Amino acid sequence: MKFTLSWLKEHLDTDASAQQIADKLNSIGLEVESISDPGAALKDFVVGEVITAEKHPNADKLRLCTVSAGGENLQIVCGAPNARAGIKVVLARPGTVIPASGEALKIGSIRGVESRGMMCSARELLLGEDHDGIIELKADAKVGEAVAAALADAGLLTNDPVIEVSITPNRGDAASVWGVARDLAAAGLGKLKTEKVMPVQGKFPSPKTITLDFAPENKNACPVFAGRLIRGVKNGPAPKWLQDRFKAVGLKSISALVDATNFVSQDRGRPLHVFDADKIGNLRARMARDGEQVLALDDVAYTLDANTIVIADENRALGIAGIMGGKESGSYDETVNVFIESAYFDPAAVARAGRKQGILSDARYRFERGVDPQQVLPGLEMATRLILEWCGGEASDVVIAGQLPPPHAPIAFDPIVVEQLGGIVIPRGEIIRILQSLGFVVEDHGVLQVVPPSWRHDIDGPADLVEEVVRIFGLASVRSAALPRDPGVMRSVLTKAQRRAKSARRALAGRGFQECVSFSFLDRKQAALFGGGDEARQLSNPIASDLDALRPTPLPSLLAAAQRNAARGFSNLSLFEIGPGFLSGMPEAQTTIAAGLRTGHALRDWSKSTHDADAFDVKADMLAALEAVTGAPMLAPVSRGAPAWYHPGRSGVIALGKTVIARFGELHPKVLAAFDLKVPAAAFEIFLDALPEAKQKGKARPLFAPSPYQAIERDFAFVVKREVAAGDIVKAVKLAERSLIESVAIFDVYEGKGVPEGHKSVAVAVRIQPREKTLADAEIEAVAAAIVAQVSKATGATLRS
Amino acid sequence: MSDVAALQSDLLAQIAGAADEAALEVVRVAALGKKGSISELMKTLGALSPEERKVQGPLLNGLRDAVTEAIAARKAALGEAALEQRLAGETLDITLPPRPENSGTVHPISQVLEEVTAIFAGMGFSVAEGPDVEHDDYNFTRLNIPPDHPARQMQDTFYVAPQADGSSHVLRTHTSPVQVRTMLNGKPPIRIISPGRTYRVDSDATHSPMFHQVEALVIDEGIHLGHLKWTIEEFCKAFFEIDSIELRARPSFFPFTEPSLEWDMRCDRSVPGKITFGSGQDWLELGGSGMVHRKVLENCGIDAKRYSGFALGFGLDRMAMLKYGIADIRSFFEGDVRWLKHYGFAALVIPSLEGGLSK
């Protein structure tokens, strides 16, 4: 909502400046979006008077002037043809910033003569195109004063600040100059002086009737509808002052008839409509018929549904109630007889219809926030007066259908609630004063009985009254109060899931991964490559067609990021994201996944220490992250069975029972092709929510008990069929003598010369740690034999000779 | 000069002249070996009279000790020289770079969330979370957002396609449904923050269809606006790591709070592209807040006669932008490695109250 300062002052008796008013508006909840003060940019310019104007000694076309700035006289060289003694001018002194150039004026020397100022043209002040001469102010301009008033007087400047406030959805009452003034007056910034509208006596009965035509279930759609006919008007342009005012606040002046209603809407918050009475029958408000069409004032034909209120005559819908009038029944230059409509419409119905049709209008803005039903008749009378004044004619009696709604129900309000909820101690008398100044009717029976004014629709309990009191009294008075603290030491506040995510994050960043945060939605086609993309995970209203599916895992998000980075020339990447994967479109079907992606070839590096991203890189990353999260090495075995987006032969999963807790591997070439990635890529996914609880009870660790006996390391090379898993060999070795075998390390895997075709040699180093005594040679040999036998039995291995 | 003295002088000269450990060993064997010159002389002691032995013994022992010592010293010197020579040949070009390693980074969102969590934990808040796909009821209805409210429209809220059971859900537009879940599942006193991903149909330099919010909720007996103000003040001072700030409250409107307030913090934006807090002529919008609406308390099973509470919310991304000078919110979600390196945090920069929130 925009208004000018002078317009506001028609309702509010105040000396406050625009800035003071803006500050107060902010503090009472009418947020100031902008103040434009046309005079503010010219605050350093003063009115000057040319005392003398002589020819410049060294230039024919220049004049050497003495200009009074009030108190001091300045020598100024000027080239303007109209520079002459006696005129009042706009004077810039050295240091003043000239709007047109944006530069501060300097003391200059022109053709050998010093010039200590400048007399300005309209163009130099950005007040117009005129640059043929300097501005001549009126003779009564006061020398030495700021120029804004004098420029306004000369017709060069509208010296009237424009304030724009944004109105929250609950404050329809503030969507008028009157309403804003009412709040400011309550807040002590002046005295409300809005003029009461006196009714106009009808000269004849209205030839048009009004009917409310609603089924019982819609009876609240339009409880009251009033109107009157004015005959014999002569339409034309609105008065100049109104055109100027509308222009200042960004409204279009249309004609005297239309502007009269728009003025009442802006000034009093009471939207109206004027029909050309010769183009309509008798009026009725009713619900639209499904499919009914209206050609509105914006030249668009809207197709309505049965939830929309319309104003109609016997034959057709004439306009969309509370939103926009109809083109055919509107008032134009040739209109002679008009019918003014003033009604109250259900805010929710107007909001619904406005949204559905996508119409933004000043009427909708006000009706959907709730207008004051008690203004139905005063608004009608005010419009009548304006039309009679501007367009002549004579008015009929007022016709009215329905009834004004009753006053709001009283609210029982104990003023102590102000302190309890607001944290400010405000004297009871002040609480009552504030409420009354806002138009509330207050009766004091110990507990107050408070009736909200008819223009407020947002007050239905004590908390609302607290807000009113506190915002007007001033939120600056709220004193900080510390929340009570628990005695003792602060406890850890993170949930298990949060601690897991944090551990995984720090561990992966510590391994050189860069953390990404990506959208939870992506292209359905990409989701489909990762087990998603089904109907249940579609968004009904995606913001873009390639962001239409909930992602099943963060992995495709990382691949998409890798693709974008590769396009910029960065293809050696380690990216991770810890975020949601969606298993369906249900709220419970969300799981937290830590996904990591490594891409790239071995680096071109002198040390030759890197290699292409592969499955064992990400296996290490995955195991490190799992260990960081669970606090213990992951002992569960790795098996095959990773999903289709992984390379079928170079991937694996870790499962506990049937629960997959992590999977990893090189990515399937088809997936890489879909993301246009041309470098090797391997990835892992860890299901943080699926990880088991730590088994350990208590915090104490088992006693440290190193064996005092010498450990023995023995190497074995087993020849097995190529498809035998090395992990099975390790498992078998451990089983051979659990109490003695401390660790098993694979140190060589070999295929080729010396090993039969289709076979491989797997060499392991076994560390045997006696616990009770030093082992004799024979005992060591027995362990070795048991190892060979166990591995042979489990995998068909033979010892490599 | 006696024979012994002559021998000693001769041997010491040989030791000094030995060019390497092998030559020194030859000298050692020739002097101290079984048949070495000193060993031979020692053997003669047995044949001497006690008086002669008293003279000759210490003389020969002195000779042997001097030579042994000289050999050891020479050996050490030769070893030193040999090592020096070897090391001289082992010189690396130490201007070569080390073997490549990636240095990882933590995303600003995560970092700032940890900062925020540390601060609120210090004020006794715990952290609650909930799903991104939410029941319409939790995201809107229980928060006193009526069915006709504009926020529910498709142009503002993402809707998930209808599910097999006919239900339809939204991507949460704020983390307030976590507050609803917390109130439904717990009893006052409640003191939580709810951080997480939030979604609105919006995209430009300051809006992203996905962004992050943190909300705080306190429900207890006797909670009022003063507690809300204290919480925001303390948070801002701690988060922006400045000693004093100036806050301004503006009345506002949210369906789920009454009274509703927005908070601004005094700041200085007179230097383009730079913002400093605590002084200046500008105000920075922090976020919305208010006393929890009675209807919300009742909708969530809280006795509104006994308990009151406040809620506040702000954008985590926005906080990260303000504190760390990041310009465009959309850049957070693009995964550009140059951006991640520029704005990311090292793995071991872990925010804490005792160790400091940031480096």
Side-chain angles (χ1 to χ4, degrees):
Chain A
M1 238 267 319
K2 277 186 180 176
F3 53 86
T4 66
L5 184 60
S6 64
W7 195 345
L8 179 71
K9 286 185 173 179
E10 286 177 7
H11 292 274
L12 188 70
D13 194 0
T14 181
D15 294 329
S17 70
Q19 190 57 51
Q20 286 168 322
I21 287 168
D23 290 345
K24 184 59 90 177
L25 287 170
N26 271 326
S27 79
I28 61 176
L30 302 175
E31 186 183 356
V32 175
E33 297 261 291
S34 65
I35 324 179
S36 72
D37 185 350
L42 303 175
K43 65 180 168 38
D44 294 334
F45 293 81
V46 296
V47 177
E49 182 174 9
V50 182
I51 309 289
T52 62
E54 314 289 343
K55 194 181 91 57
H56 190 290
N58 307 323
D60 286 344
K61 291 193 169 173
L62 295 176
R63 304 188 85 66
L64 180 57
C65 306
T66 309
V67 182
S68 166
E72 59 171 330
N73 286 346
L74 304 173
Q75 175 178 289
I76 296 174
V77 177
C78 180
N82 62 333
R84 61 189 190 278
I87 62 169
K88 300 273 179 74
V89 297
V90 178
L91 177 62
R93 287 170 293 192
T96 301
V97 176
I98 308 301
S101 67
E103 283 173 18
L105 187 67
K106 292 193 189 95
I107 297 172
S109 172
I110 300 171
R111 293 279 182 104
V113 177
E114 190 182 62
S115 179
R116 303 185 65 89
M118 184 163 107
M119 294 179 278
C120 301
S121 70
R123 194 164 85 189
E124 282 157 347
L125 300 184
L126 298 178
L127 294 176
E129 285 307 305
D130 188 357
H131 195 52
D132 294 337
I134 55 176
I135 294 171
E136 292 184 36
L137 297 169
K138 286 195 175 169
D140 59 357
K142 294 199 176 65
V143 175
E145 288 200 349
V147 293
L151 282 168
D153 222 19
L156 285 163
L157 176 72
T158 315
N159 187 28
D160 195 3
V162 178
I163 298 175
E164 180 174 16
V165 292
S166 95
I167 308 286
T168 51
N170 60 327
R171 291 299 307 279
D173 64 289
S176 68
V177 183
W178 182 24
V180 170
R182 196 163 46 208
D183 252 31
L184 284 169
L189 210 78
K191 197 167 176 313
L192 197 63
K193 60 169 189 182
T194 304
E195 280 178 35
K196 201 165 160 33
V197 180
M198 300 308 290
V200 174
Q201 192 67 43
K203 295 274 176 61
F204 57 98
S206 170
K208 305 272 181 204
T209 62
I210 295 174
T211 317
L212 298 179
D213 183 9
F214 292 100
E217 67 268 23
N218 291 319
K219 68 178 169 47
N220 291 328
C222 175
V224 61
F225 182 175
R228 82 177 347 156
L229 189 124
I230 303 178
R231 66 186 178 201
V233 300
K234 183 174 182 334
N235 201 3
K240 173 82 166 50
W241 67 266
L242 186 69
Q243 292 185 32
D244 289 346
R245 191 175 278 188
F246 274 17
K247 189 180 166 197
V249 300
L251 282 176
K252 204 171 150 200
S253 172
I254 294 165
S255 68
L257 287 172
V258 175
D259 288 5
T261 62
N262 287 342
F263 179 71
V264 177
S265 179
Q266 290 290 318
D267 192 69
R268 303 292 168 115
R270 164 40 44 196
L272 305 160
H273 183 67
V274 279
F275 293 98
D276 184 328
D278 297 332
K279 293 179 186 159
I280 58 172
N282 287 315
L283 291 177
R284 64 190 59 218
R286 61 168 168 83
M287 303 312 288
R289 302 185 186 96
D290 265 327
E292 192 167 10
Q293 283 209 333
V294 169
L295 179 66
L297 281 168
D298 60 0
D299 278 325
V300 178
Y302 293 95
T303 305
L304 310 178
D305 64 23
N307 290 322
T308 306
I309 314 167
V310 292
I311 306 299
D313 62 9
E314 297 83 348
N315 302 318
R316 63 200 165 134
L318 302 169
I320 310 169
I323 297 175
M324 195 172 279
K327 175 119 177 143
E328 293 158 23
S329 56
S331 298
Y332 302 96
D333 284 351
E334 64 279 11
T335 300
V336 180
N337 301 307
V338 294
F339 190 86
I340 314 174
E341 163 210 327
S342 180
Y344 182 81
F345 302 110
D346 175 34
V350 173
R352 250 192 325 265
R355 267 198 313 265
K356 188 170 170 71
Q357 301 294 349
I359 306 174
L360 294 171
S361 70
D362 284 343
R364 175 190 163 191
Y365 180 84
R366 290 181 171 78
F367 275 115
E368 71 182 6
R369 283 168 170 75
V371 301
D372 180 0
Q374 298 298 331
Q375 285 297 312
V376 165
L377 291 174
L380 179 61
E381 297 291 358
M382 185 170 167
T384 306
R385 284 187 175 276
L386 293 173
I387 290 172
L388 292 176
E389 184 184 327
W390 300 342
C391 307
E394 59 180 2
S396 79
D397 295 337
V398 170
V399 284
I400 182 163
Q403 282 185 334
L404 293 174
H408 292 297
I411 298 165
F413 183 53
D414 186 344
I416 192 70
V417 183
V418 173
E419 188 184 337
Q420 287 170 344
L421 213 52
I424 320 181
V425 181
I426 303 176
R428 186 187 185 88
E430 178 66 5
I431 291 173
I432 295 171
R433 187 203 68 76
I434 289 172
L435 289 172
Q436 287 173 334
S437 68
L438 288 168
F440 291 79
V441 177
V442 183
E443 284 180 39
D444 192 346
H445 306 293
V447 169
L448 305 179
Q449 293 292 320
V450 182
V451 180
S454 58
W455 54 85
R456 295 298 295 267
H457 306 285
D458 58 325
I459 310 288
D460 69 350
D464 299 300
L465 296 173
V466 171
E467 176 168 83
E468 293 306 302
V469 172
V470 167
R471 78 180 173 90
I472 297 297
F473 188 78
L475 285 166
S477 307
V478 175
R479 295 275 163 265
S480 295
L483 285 173
R485 287 180 194 263
D486 281 341
V489 176
M490 191 188 109
R491 310 237 170 107
S492 168
V493 299
L494 296 188
T495 61
K496 192 177 64 200
Q498 290 154 2
R499 280 205 296 267
R500 285 176 169 176
K502 188 173 171 177
S503 302
R505 172 177 304 120
R506 296 288 166 182
L508 289 168
R511 292 180 67 83
F513 278 82
Q514 289 185 286
E515 186 182 19
C516 298
V517 174
S518 321
F519 288 162
S520 302
F521 28 65
L522 39 57
D523 190 335
R524 183 179 195 170
K525 291 193 285 292
Q526 293 178 341
L529 294 170
F530 292 81
D534 50 341
E535 215 40 62
R537 280 177 273 188
Q538 282 294 105
L539 293 183
S540 300
N541 55 334
I543 196 159
S545 60
D546 61 351
L547 295 173
D548 60 342
L550 290 174
R551 69 182 186 190
T553 157
L555 203 45
S557 308
L558 294 178
L559 281 160
Q563 177 189 15
R564 290 192 294 272
N565 282 299
R568 293 186 203 104
F570 298 93
S571 53
N572 277 76
L573 305 168
S574 305
L575 303 176
F576 80 103
E577 176 163 358
I578 299 174
F582 298 89
L583 308 175
S584 84
M586 298 293 285
E588 297 76 21
Q590 179 177 333
T591 188
T592 303
I593 298 173
L597 171 70
R598 282 187 187 266
T599 67
H601 283 292
L603 294 176
R604 275 164 25 109
D605 180 74
W606 69 270
S607 69
K608 311 274 185 288
S609 61
T610 63
H611 52 260
D612 291 3
D614 72 15
F616 291 104
D617 289 331
V618 290
K619 185 178 181 184
D621 298 325
M622 172 190 73
L623 290 173
L626 282 168
E627 181 165 352
V629 169
T630 61
M634 178 48 63
L635 299 176
V638 169
S639 57
R640 296 209 181 274
W645 50 95
Y646 288 101
H647 186 303
R650 297 183 172 184
S651 60
V653 302
I654 295 183
L656 297 173
K658 284 185 176 170
T659 309
V660 172
I661 58 169
R663 53 201 183 201
F664 73 99
E666 290 170 31
L667 288 165
H668 198 288
K670 282 185 190 167
V671 169
L672 295 185
F675 284 89
D676 201 23
L677 274 178
K678 298 183 172 66
V679 291
F684 65 86
E685 296 156 281
I686 299 171
F687 299 91
L688 292 177
D689 301 330
L691 295 177
E693 298 273 355
K695 282 199 188 105
Q696 195 188 338
K697 291 204 176 88
K699 294 291 173 192
R701 302 186 180 191
L703 201 63
F704 177 59
S707 171
Y709 306 104
Q710 184 70 41
I712 303 120
E713 196 144 296
R714 276 293 182 92
D715 294 349
F716 301 84
F718 295 106
V719 175
V720 289
K721 285 190 177 150
R722 183 186 280 148
E723 55 273 19
V724 169
D728 290 344
I729 296 175
V730 171
K731 198 165 119 192
V733 171
K734 284 183 177 164
L735 278 174
E737 188 51 84
R738 282 173 183 279
S739 62
L740 289 173
I741 294 172
E742 190 179 68
S743 65
V744 186
I746 300 169
F747 67 85
D748 189 41
V749 178
Y750 172 76
E751 285 178 50
K753 197 164 168 244
V755 176
E757 183 68 24
H759 286 64
K760 64 183 173 186
S761 161
V762 177
V764 297
V766 181
R767 187 174 167 88
I768 299 164
Q769 175 63 65
R771 293 269 155 203
E772 284 155 11
K773 62 181 177 98
T774 303
L775 294 184
D777 284 352
E779 289 168 310
I780 296 169
E781 290 311 319
V783 173
I787 289 171
V788 173
Q790 186 69 36
V791 173
S792 172
K793 186 178 142 204
T795 67
T798 56
L799 211 52
R800 191 175 170 194
S801 47
Chain B
M1 192 203 270
S2 73
D3 288 352
V4 171
L7 180 60
Q8 178 166 339
S9 144
D10 180 38
L11 286 173
L12 290 181
Q14 286 184 40
I15 290 165
D20 53 27
E21 287 198 36
L24 187 62
E25 183 63 8
V26 171
V27 177
R28 188 192 66 80
V29 171
L32 297 169
K34 269 186 185 168
K35 296 197 169 154
S37 48
I38 294 175
S39 306
E40 293 295 336
L41 279 174
M42 296 299 269
K43 285 176 195 163
T44 65
L45 282 177
L48 295 179
S49 67
E51 290 75 25
E52 284 175 317
R53 205 181 295 148
K54 243 179 214 168
V55 178
Q56 203 63 14
L59 215 56
L60 290 182
N61 280 338
L63 169 67
R64 189 189 57 198
D65 290 352
V67 168
T68 306
E69 207 168 286
I71 288 172
R74 181 65 185 155
K75 191 169 182 179
L78 285 172
E80 193 87 353
L83 181 63
E84 261 171 41
Q85 197 182 359
R86 196 188 95 210
L87 294 183
E90 286 174 359
T91 303
L92 295 180
D93 178 357
I94 44 79
T95 64
L96 284 171
R99 291 178 190 86
E101 286 173 19
N102 291 337
S103 50
T105 48
V106 168
H107 196 282
I109 289 283
S110 301
Q111 188 77 12
V112 165
L113 176 57
E114 287 190 20
E115 293 183 19
V116 169
T117 303
I119 296 166
F120 275 103
M123 292 192 281
F125 288 70
S126 54
V127 185
E129 287 179 320
D132 297 25
V133 175
E134 240 330 334
H135 301 283
D136 180 276
D137 183 39
Y138 288 0
N139 195 71
F140 293 125
T141 313
R142 284 185 200 254
L143 291 163
N144 197 33
I145 301 174
D148 274 321
H149 196 279
R152 291 191 171 209
Q153 299 308 302
M154 297 274 267
Q155 61 262 36
D156 287 319
T157 300
F158 287 110
Y159 282 83
V160 180
Q163 300 297 292
D165 65 359
S167 63
S168 179
H169 309 287
V170 301
L171 288 183
R172 63 181 177 192
T173 57
H174 43 192
T175 60
S176 307
V178 181
Q179 297 186 21
V180 173
R181 288 170 176 268
T182 304
M183 286 189 273
L184 286 173
N185 296 323
K187 283 187 165 42
I190 291 170
R191 212 182 276 193
I192 56 147
I193 57 168
S194 53
R197 295 174 174 228
T198 45
Y199 307 86
R200 288 182 202 170
V201 184
D202 218 345
S203 184
D204 59 39
T206 53
H207 296 91
S208 164
M210 184 185 92
F211 58 105
H212 294 75
Q213 266 198 344
V214 178
E215 296 184 346
L217 173 72
V218 173
I219 308 279
D220 206 341
E221 291 176 358
I223 296 296
H224 55 70
L225 284 180
H227 297 116
L228 168 61
K229 184 177 185 185
W230 178 83
T231 305
I232 292 178
E233 262 171 9
E234 291 303 306
F235 170 75
C236 288
K237 279 192 283 187
F239 180 76
F240 291 108
E241 303 180 56
I242 47 180
D243 293 330
S244 75
I245 54 160
E246 187 183 339
L247 290 180
R248 169 177 94 171
R250 282 180 290 110
S252 188
F253 172 75
F254 308 107
F256 30 82
T257 48
E258 186 74 38
S260 301
L261 294 75
E262 285 186 76
W263 293 90
D264 301 335
M265 181 163 63
R266 187 177 283 284
C267 67
D268 186 347
R269 285 193 256 222
S270 56
V271 180
K274 193 166 177 272
I275 184 163
T276 50
F277 301 107
S279 59
Q281 294 305 311
D282 250 330
W283 292 94
L284 173 82
E285 284 188 36
L286 288 172
S289 70
M291 301 305 294
V292 181
H293 200 291
R294 175 181 49 82
K295 286 181 188 162
V296 174
L297 293 176
E298 285 165 1
N299 290 341
C300 297
I302 304 278
D303 179 355
K305 288 199 177 67
R306 182 173 170 194
Y307 295 107
S308 58
F310 70 76
L312 64 92
F314 54 83
L316 202 52
D317 331 67
R318 193 171 135 73
M319 284 295 172
M321 291 166 81
L322 289 171
K323 182 165 181 177
Y324 294 109
I326 306 172
D328 186 338
I329 189 173
R330 290 169 300 190
S331 61
F332 279 72
F333 311 114
E334 284 167 1
D336 182 334
V337 288
R338 299 165 302 176
W339 189 93
L340 296 173
K341 188 175 173 192
H342 186 84
Y343 288 113
F345 294 82
L348 290 178
V349 179
I350 302 177
S352 71
L353 289 181
E354 78 283 6
L357 289 180
S358 62
K359 283 249 153 117

